[in-house]
């Protein structure tokens, strides 16, 4: 069945060269029970690893069922191992946190066929562990653990069993049990190769090979009770070809569930550590969600605010003039009047104008009162600033001329004074003067730190003469015909007003009248909020990146800690892709948990900001998707390197890792 021709394997330690296996030729026939003996360091294990396809010889030939398999790649060797060879190790090598049943079933995961639980049950029962299925290795004696390992070596129906000092760590009673099981397997037809240094163990074998310094020094067959003449048990060149053909076996559900299980166990085994590394992603994702929500909330509220600003709007205010370096009080000599308003209204390409005057007032209704902003305007204001009431009406031209005591109130004032009741027709006291409420302003939302709905609007004349006691207007809103005329119009207004107020340009360093283009303000605000959103996004991304590095760190530790597990899985037939995906599943699982809890936390924080601080936040589906994909990507990207490290481990070195 197995034929080795002139196999050589050397190890280099510094400048010392050890010929661990030095030109061994050996043929093992089906049905044999071979014991390999020899002093420690004589090359027994090395030879067995080569026979078991765990390691590659430096030179020489390996024929399996007559087929030369010397030049196969790692993945092909892995599938041959999985199908044809069962391993039993001195240290048992069971997965610590998995049950006997799961341990025995491990090779099936990599067999690419449906998990056959009946087979696992049968093998465990055959080694006398029918009542120990759900015990973990630390709940089993050494002998029992080794019996689980034997069941594991058999679940895939291998053609040959390789046991390296299987009784080396056991007491004499367990030794007898194990050797009896092996002998029984051999009688039933399994080919067995066992490394041992104990003559009493070798006594059970049908052939004993003795090694010294990497060479075979004796090879004797013993006559034993008559044994059936074994054929190759169906192990033929064609079967090998079939296995190799399907060696790029698919990643299937069994592998995924096993990886998932293992990942969950690993996470729970190191709760604090896992929690901390998940926390990194969690904070990162929460930051992304909350900050994007905040950013787009701000953008949203600014958008409504900008809409209420009106279009093609200029705002004219008295500027500051300084005479020979001495600043005059703002507005002195440049106070705007109604005749200024009318003059500006006469300019070409002016659509309409409105005066404006502001102040703070105390408003009382019944036993409720509030301090709010009052704005006196003309009738046109309602159209220019998108302020026509949806409930009630705006005041009329006659009411402006007659200084009527009527008020249109904002939503905040409405809530403060009237609650849910209708205010229309009610009388409120504004600085102790009775006003009739005639309308409710449309909602404008919070702009920056100012609540735009916390206001009342009254006729400009009423505000000037009855409430604020001023005989001038503070600013003029001018609406141009089109966006293009605004620049020229703004210059014309300045010239006109300077002329009307007899202000000579040469005396003044500054403009006597400030004309602000609302379109420019709009653009500036939009740009600022966009910049803010990008900035917040950057900060959040950095947080995620830091979280990802945390995951990478933990995964590297995990790979190092579980080197032995990786070696075992490879011995059981896992190829490098299986190992890679296993660790990727683990890191993605961690980052997903972090991602999902991060989304929840981020949403919670956003909600809290709305409730407590009254900020406008808007959680978009896009930001949730972005954050989740990002966290999964972080899991893949930062998990890839550790996983690759794991996948590339040599099975023998990994198994030996301390
Ligand atoms: P045995 O199993 O018979 O005790 P081994 O096959 O384990 O012996 O080792 C044979 C020789 O090869 C020993 O001298 C050992 O030191 C050396 N050797 C085995 N594995 C390695 C390795 N990974 N690196 C260096 N030397 C090794
Ligand atoms: Mg050894």
């Amino acid at each position: 069945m197995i034929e080795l021709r002139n196999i050589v394997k050397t190890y280099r330690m510094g400048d010392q060269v050890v010929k661990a296996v030095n030109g061994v030729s050996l043929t093992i026939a089906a049905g044999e029970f071979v014991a390999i003996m020899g002093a420690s360091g004589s090359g027994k294990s090395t030879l067995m690893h080569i026979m078991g396809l765990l390691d590659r010889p430096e030179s020489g030939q390996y024929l399996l069922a007559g087929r030369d398999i010397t030049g196969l790649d790692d993945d092909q060797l892995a599938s041959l191992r999985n199908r044809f060879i069962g391993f039993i190790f001195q240290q048992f090598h069971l997965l610590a946190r998995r049950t006997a049943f799961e341990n025995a079933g491990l090779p099936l995961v990599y067999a690419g066929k449906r998990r056959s639980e009946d087979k696992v049950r049968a093998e465990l029962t055959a080694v006398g562990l029918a009542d120990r299925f759900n015990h973990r290795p630390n709940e089993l004696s050494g002998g029992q653990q080794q019996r689980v390992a034997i069941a594991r070596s058999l679940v895939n129906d291998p053609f040959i069993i390789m046991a390296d000092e299987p009784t080396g760590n056991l007491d004499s009673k367990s030794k007898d049990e194990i050797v009896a099981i092996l002998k029984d397997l051999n009688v039933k037809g399994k080919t067995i190769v066992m490394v041992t240094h104990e003559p009493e163990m070798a006594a059970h074998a049908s052939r004993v090979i003795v090694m010294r310094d990497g060479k075979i020094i004796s090879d004797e067959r013993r006559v034993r009770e008559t044994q059936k003449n074994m054929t190759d048990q169906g192990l033929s060149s064609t079967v090998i070809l079939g296995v190799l053909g399907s060696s790029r076996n698919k990643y299937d559900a069994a592998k995924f569930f096993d990886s998932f299980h293992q990942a969950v166990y690993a996470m729970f085994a190191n709760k604090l550590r896992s929690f901390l590394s998940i926390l990194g992603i969690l904070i990162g994702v929460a930051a992304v969600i909350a900050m994007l929500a905040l950013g787009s909330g701000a953008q949203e509220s600014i958008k409504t605010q900008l809409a209420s600003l009106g279009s093609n709007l200029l705002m004219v205010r008295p500027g500051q003039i300084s005479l020979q370096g001495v600043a005059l009080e703002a507005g002195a000599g440049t106070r705007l009047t109604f005749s200024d308003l009318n003059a500006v209204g006469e300019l070409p390409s002016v659509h309409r104008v409105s005066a404006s005057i502001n102040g703070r007032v105390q408003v009382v209704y019944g036993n409720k009162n509030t301090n709010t902003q009052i704005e006196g305007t003309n009738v046109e204001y309602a159209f220019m600033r998108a302020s026509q009431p949806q409930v009630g009406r705006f005041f009329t031209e006659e009411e402006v001329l007659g200084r009527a005591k009527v008020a249109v109130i904002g939503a905040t004032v409405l809530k403060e004074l009237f609650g849910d009741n209708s205010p229309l027709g009610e009388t409120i006291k504004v600085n102790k003067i009775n006003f009739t409420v005639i309308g409710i302003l449309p909602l404008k939302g919070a702009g920056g730190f100012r609540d735009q709905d916390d206001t009342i609007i009254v006729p400009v004349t009423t505000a000037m003469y009855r409430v604020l006691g001023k005989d001038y207007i503070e600013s003029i809103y001018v609406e141009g015909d089109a966006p293009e005329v605004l620049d020229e119009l703004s210059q014309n207004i300045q010239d006109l007003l300077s002329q009307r107020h007899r202000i000579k340009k040469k005396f003044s360093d500054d403009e006597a009248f400030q004309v602000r283009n609302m379109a420019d303000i709009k653009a500036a605000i939009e740009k600022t909020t966009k910049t803010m959103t990008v900035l917040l996004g950057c900060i959040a991304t950095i947080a995620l990146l830091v979280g990802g590095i945390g995951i990478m760190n933990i995964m590297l530790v995990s790979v190092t800690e579980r080197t032995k597990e990786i070696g075992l899985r490879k011995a059981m037939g896992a190829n490098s892709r299986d190992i890679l995906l296993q660790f990727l599943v683990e890191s993605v699982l961690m980052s997903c948990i972090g991602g999902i809890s991060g989304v929840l936390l981020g949403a919670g924080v956003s909600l809290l900001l709305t409730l407590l601080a009254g900020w406008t936040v808007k959680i978009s589906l896009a930001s949730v998707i972005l954050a989740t994909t990002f966290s999964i990507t972080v899991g893949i990207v930062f998990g890839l390197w550790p996983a690759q490290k794991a996948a590339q481990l040599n099975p023998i070195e990994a198994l030996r890792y301390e």
Side-chain angles (χ1 to χ4, degrees):
M1 176 156 25
I2 289 178
E3 191 180 347
L4 302 179
R5 288 182 189 157
N6 208 14
I7 297 288
V8 177
K9 177 84 186 177
T10 51
Y11 288 110
R12 273 173 197 84
M13 303 276 280
D15 38 49
Q16 211 186 341
V17 177
V18 180
K19 291 214 163 189
V21 174
N22 191 2
V24 167
S25 296
L26 177 65
T27 306
I28 293 172
E32 279 190 309
F33 186 169
V34 183
I36 302 178
M37 298 194 67
S40 179
S42 55
K44 309 181 295 288
S45 296
T46 307
L47 181 64
M48 167 161 283
H49 294 150
I50 290 171
M51 272 198 283
L53 302 174
L54 283 169
D55 210 352
R56 252 184 259 263
E58 227 156 76
S59 67
Q61 253 187 327
Y62 189 137
L63 286 86
L64 188 62
R67 185 169 196 90
D68 190 350
I69 57 163
T70 318
L72 297 184
D73 68 24
D74 288 348
D75 291 351
Q76 289 172 318
L77 289 182
S79 23
L80 289 181
R81 263 196 318 267
N82 179 262
R83 278 294 306 278
F84 300 136
I85 302 165
F87 290 97
I88 301 167
F89 305 95
Q90 182 175 357
Q91 302 89 340
F92 324 136
H93 288 316
L94 299 180
L95 298 179
R97 282 178 285 274
R98 310 297 285 266
T99 62
F101 188 82
E102 288 171 318
N103 267 296
L106 187 62
L108 289 176
V109 170
Y110 301 109
K113 57 186 169 194
R114 271 175 61 90
R115 217 182 233 277
S116 162
E117 303 204 327
D118 290 343
K119 178 71 175 156
V120 182
R121 261 182 224 117
E123 293 301 345
L124 277 174
T125 310
V127 294
L129 292 176
D131 52 349
R132 294 283 188 279
F133 283 5
N134 291 316
H135 287 233
R136 290 171 211 283
N138 59 358
E139 299 158 350
L140 295 170
S141 73
Q144 286 170 329
Q145 290 187 52
Q146 195 60 303
R147 281 188 272 157
V148 173
I150 293 176
R152 180 179 64 190
S153 74
L154 291 168
V155 288
N156 260 348
D157 271 330
F159 291 110
I160 185 161
I161 304 246
M162 307 231 171
D164 194 349
E165 311 252 13
T167 56
N169 281 9
L170 298 176
D171 56 86
S172 54
K173 183 169 165 286
S174 304
K175 267 181 202 179
D176 294 342
E177 281 169 13
I178 297 298
V179 88
I181 292 172
L182 290 178
K183 212 168 152 185
D184 184 48
L185 284 171
N186 179 242
V187 170
K188 286 180 183 148
K190 286 274 179 253
T191 311
I192 293 176
V193 178
M194 175 176 75
V195 167
T196 182
H197 59 265
E198 295 168 274
E200 57 267 38
M201 289 296 138
H204 296 279
S206 61
R207 178 179 172 190
V208 177
I209 293 171
V210 181
M211 291 186 73
R212 187 190 295 156
D213 297 335
K215 286 189 190 324
I216 293 178
I217 54 166
S218 88
D219 182 351
E220 63 180 86
R221 274 164 229 270
R222 291 182 189 163
V223 187
R224 280 204 350 196
E225 55 263 49
T226 37
Q227 203 165 2
K228 286 168 271 169
N229 191 21
M230 294 288 163
T231 57
D232 265 2
Q233 305 169 351
L235 176 58
S236 69
S237 200
T238 338
V239 174
I240 293 175
L241 213 61
V243 171
L244 291 181
S246 64
S247 75
R248 311 244 168 261
N249 52 25
K250 284 175 225 75
Y251 189 74
D252 56 19
K255 282 181 190 171
F256 176 77
F257 283 124
D258 181 75
S259 300
F260 189 78
H261 253 110
Q262 190 68 21
V264 172
Y265 283 123
M267 264 168 47
F268 275 94
N270 304 290
K271 287 189 200 71
L272 182 65
R273 192 173 89 182
S274 312
F275 170 74
L276 288 177
S277 51
I278 286 173
L279 196 63
I281 291 285
L282 190 152
I283 292 172
V285 170
V288 169
I289 296 281
M291 292 196 173
L292 287 183
L294 210 63
S296 54
Q299 246 167 347
E300 192 82 348
S301 77
I302 279 163
K303 234 185 248 164
T304 43
Q305 211 185 321
L306 290 181
S308 70
L309 216 56
S311 46
N312 305 338
L313 214 56
L314 297 174
M315 193 170 82
V316 186
R317 291 169 157 279
Q320 209 171 46
I321 36 173
S322 46
L323 286 172
Q324 285 145 357
V326 184
L328 296 178
E329 190 198 336
T334 55
R335 282 181 172 161
L336 295 166
T337 61
F338 281 115
S339 78
D340 288 329
L341 179 73
N342 292 333
V344 171
E346 296 296 305
L347 281 172
S349 52
V350 169
H351 186 46
R352 46 195 169 194
V353 291
S354 170
S356 168
I357 183 164
N358 291 283
R360 299 292 308 179
V361 287
Q362 198 69 23
V363 184
V364 181
Y365 173 73
N367 56 1
K368 301 214 178 88
N369 77 92
T370 179
N371 187 279
T372 186
Q373 180 196 242
I374 189 170
E375 186 166 16
T377 70
N378 291 91
V379 176
E380 288 79 5
Y381 179 92
F383 303 100
M384 295 166 73
R385 305 276 327 251
S387 297
Q388 288 119 309
Q390 268 146 11
V391 178
R393 62 178 183 88
F394 211 73
F395 42 79
T396 62
E397 208 67 65
E398 288 72 42
E399 283 167 328
V400 175
L401 288 173
R403 303 180 189 179
K405 292 176 284 181
V406 290
V408 187
I409 63 175
T412 304
V413 178
L414 171 72
K415 210 172 81 191
E416 295 279 329
L417 297 184
F418 296 94
D420 291 331
N421 302 323
S422 167
L424 296 184
E426 297 294 324
T427 303
I428 53 174
K429 280 189 194 298
V430 178
N431 281 6
K432 297 191 176 136
I433 304 158
N434 284 337
F435 274 72
T436 306
V437 180
I438 55 168
I440 302 169
L441 290 166
L443 267 178
K444 295 200 172 183
F449 295 103
R450 226 197 84 204
D451 179 4
Q452 301 233 99
D453 296 316
D454 188 9
T455 187
I456 67 175
I457 295 182
V458 301
V460 59
T461 46
T462 319
M464 285 163 67
Y465 304 116
R466 290 190 193 273
V467 183
L468 301 171
K470 292 176 177 172
D471 59 354
Y472 54 90
I473 52 185
E474 281 175 348
S475 50
I476 298 174
Y477 286 107
V478 183
E479 189 181 314
D481 286 333
E484 306 82 61
V485 304
L486 294 183
D487 281 343
E488 200 191 334
L489 185 57
S490 141
Q491 193 57 52
N492 290 345
I493 292 170
Q494 260 165 10
D495 292 346
L496 173 77
L497 292 177
S498 299
Q499 190 193 342
R500 288 176 56 84
H501 289 258
R502 297 192 183 78
I503 288 166
K504 295 213 172 62
K505 272 247 147 152
K506 59 181 168 185
F507 289 129
S508 164
D509 308 327
D510 308 304
E511 297 290 357
F513 296 93
Q514 238 182 42
V515 182
R516 295 215 293 172
N517 186 339
M518 297 306 217
D520 292 348
I521 297 175
K522 251 188 204 182
I525 293 174
E526 265 167 3
K527 208 174 147 199
T528 316
T529 48
K530 223 170 246 162
T531 315
M532 194 176 83
T533 311
V534 169
L535 213 69
L536 291 179
C538 283
I539 294 170
T541 309
I542 290 169
L544 258 184
L545 217 66
V546 173
I549 292 170
I551 291 234
M552 174 147 83
N553 190 16
I554 284 310
M555 291 309 298
L556 282 171
V557 172
S558 183
V559 166
T560 312
E561 270 182 2
R562 287 156 63 191
T563 304
K564 270 194 176 171
E565 178 195 325
I566 296 164
L568 175 75
R569 285 175 180 276
K570 289 202 153 181
M572 299 292 116
N575 58 35
S576 39
R577 208 184 44 155
D578 294 334
I579 299 294
L580 182 86
L581 287 171
Q582 183 194 332
F583 281 88
L584 271 188
V585 164
E586 191 169 330
S587 68
V588 170
L589 179 71
M590 277 210 270
S591 57
C592 269
I593 293 176
I596 291 166
S597 21
V599 166
L600 294 179
L601 182 70
V605 166
S606 312
L607 212 70
L608 224 61
L609 283 179
T610 322
L611 291 179
L612 298 185
W615 292 358
T616 324
V617 296
K618 193 180 164 225
I619 301 168
S620 63
L621 185 68
S623 73
V624 172
I625 292 172
L626 180 87
T628 340
T629 9
F630 210 97
S631 59
I632 293 172
T633 317
V634 162
I636 292 176
V637 169
F638 288 93
L640 203 59
W641 185 47
Q644 207 132 34
K645 252 186 80 164
Q648 280 160 3
L649 286 172
N650 168 298
I652 282 307
E653 279 167 29
L655 270 176
R656 284 215 181 126
Y657 183 84
E658 287 305 331

